[in-house]
Amino acid sequence: MSRIFLSFLVWVSFSQAMGKEADPKTVYWLFFDFPLAVRLKEKPPGYLIEMHRLIIEKMPEYTHQVVEVPFLRIMEQMKKHQGVCSTMLLKNSEREKFIEFGTPIIKGYPAGLLALKNNEKLKKFMVKPRLLDLDALLKDKTMNVGIVSQRFYGDKINKSIGKHHGAGITERKGLNVDHELRTLLTLGRLDVYIGYPFEVEHNPNLVFYFVKDGLELLEPRISCEKTAFGKGIVRKTEELRSKYKLDAAFENIYSRYYPKAEQQEYLKLTQ
């Protein structure tokens, strides 16, 4: 078994050379850089990388290659049938058309809004401490909101974005897009950025707000291209998770990464 990390440019040239035929014994695991979840060039590597390694260690019959690409590139490659999978994707009806999903590997905490501390403009949208009305905020054209292009943040948030999409929204795509949006936030060019609670960890200038009616848990799944190969990999990982009780290990990994203060805040809002 090999674990090879390829840059985006290497992946582009490699996929062009590979052509249409995928190697039935090679799985290309696609990841994008994501705070605390995926940090391929850092230690610790992120909770989704740790979970991924637990799985592939049980699959020595395959060659496993890890490729870092922008988020939208994952969507594109899933349609090309070249032996690709990921552990990062959330399931929705549109993605189910071309992606085979397994069962959730964790019950992840909800997405929400990141903002600079003491942003007085947010007071009129506050339902209660740490809970904002996203629909009201998006209707206000004076508010500048950052989002990642085509990312699924959960049903409520995505519906709100679709309903109010227009002036005041800054949309970004590409590598390191989360870092770019957080930078715009800290520079004061955004009022809020739609992201995740663990992105405020070790950043004393930022605060995370949950979204009114948007407290559903987000559940990443092992997912592969919708081909016989992809379905076989998903089925195999489901069997391994059951056989080795990996889901309990996944939850322990996630709990270790996720800020305790944000876990407690979520419990307050849902009790």
Side-chain angles (χ1 to χ4, degrees), residues 8 20-21 51 58 69-71 102 107 118 128-129 152 186 194-195 203-204 221 224 226 251 264:
F8 173 51
K20 296 182 179 180
E21 295 298 324
M51 295 173 193
K58 309 296 186 185
V69 296
F71 166 72
K107 294 185 179 298
N118 303 317
K128 61 174 68 173
F152 182 63
T186 56
I194 300 181
N203 193 327
R221 304 162 187 253
C224 299
K226 196 176 276 290
E251 289 293 341
Q264 293 168 1

Side-chain angles (χ1 to χ4, degrees), residues 173-184:
K173 60 183 178 181
L175 282 172
N176 301 316
V177 65
D178 299 278
H179 174 75
E180 181 183 351
L181 288 170
R182 283 196 307 279
T183 299
L184 291 175

Side-chain angles (χ1 to χ4, degrees), residues 71-189:
F71 166 72
L72 292 181
R73 186 72 178 181
I74 296 180
M75 297 291 104
E76 294 171 9
Q77 291 301 139
M78 286 287 182
K79 299 175 182 178
K80 293 185 177 180
H81 301 171
Q82 294 181 328
V84 299
C85 296
S86 182
T87 64
M88 298 194 70
L89 301 183
L90 301 176
K91 180 180 175 181
N92 62 29
S93 58
E94 180 60 31
R95 294 177 183 179
E96 280 190 285
K97 295 174 184 176
F98 58 95
I99 298 175
E100 185 72 14
F101 287 95
T103 55
I105 55 177
I106 54 170
K107 294 185 179 298
Y109 287 94
L113 303 173
L114 280 75
L116 289 174
K117 286 186 175 178
N118 303 317
N119 185 337
E120 296 294 321
K121 294 171 68 176
L122 298 180
K123 283 187 176 179
K124 59 183 175 180
F125 309 114
M126 200 169 296
V127 179
K128 61 174 68 173
R130 300 290 302 281
L131 187 70
L132 292 178
D133 185 333
L134 178 59
D135 290 297
L137 188 152
L138 289 171
K139 286 178 184 177
D140 189 329
K141 298 298 177 65
T142 68
M143 299 297 292
N144 297 307
V145 182
I147 65 172
V148 178
S149 181
Q150 294 187 34
R151 180 167 289 174
F152 182 63
Y153 296 103
D155 288 331
K156 167 59 184 175
I157 292 179
N158 275 71
K159 285 178 182 176
S160 294
I161 292 171
K163 183 165 53 176
H164 303 296
H165 197 288
I169 289 186
T170 297
E171 193 168 351
R172 289 289 187 269
K173 60 183 178 181
L175 282 172
N176 301 316
V177 65
D178 299 278
H179 174 75
E180 181 183 351
L181 288 170
R182 283 196 307 279
T183 299
L184 291 175
L185 183 64
T186 56
L187 291 173
R189 292 170 61 184

Side-chain angles (χ1 to χ4, degrees), residues 173-235:
K173 60 183 178 181
L175 282 172
N176 301 316
V177 65
D178 299 278
H179 174 75
E180 181 183 351
L181 288 170
R182 283 196 307 279
T183 299
L184 291 175
L185 183 64
T186 56
L187 291 173
R189 292 170 61 184
L190 294 176
D191 291 300
V192 295
Y193 147 54
I194 300 181
Y196 300 87
F198 42 75
E199 295 185 73
V200 303
E201 185 82 338
H202 309 305
N203 193 327
N205 297 317
L206 298 180
V207 60
F208 177 84
Y209 294 93
F210 292 93
V211 169
K212 176 188 174 184
D213 300 325
L215 296 176
E216 76 267 28
L217 296 175
L218 302 180
E219 301 176 324
R221 304 162 187 253
I222 294 173
S223 52
C224 299
E225 59 187 47
K226 196 176 276 290
T227 60
F229 171 85
K231 292 177 181 179
I233 296 296
V234 170
R235 184 168 56 251

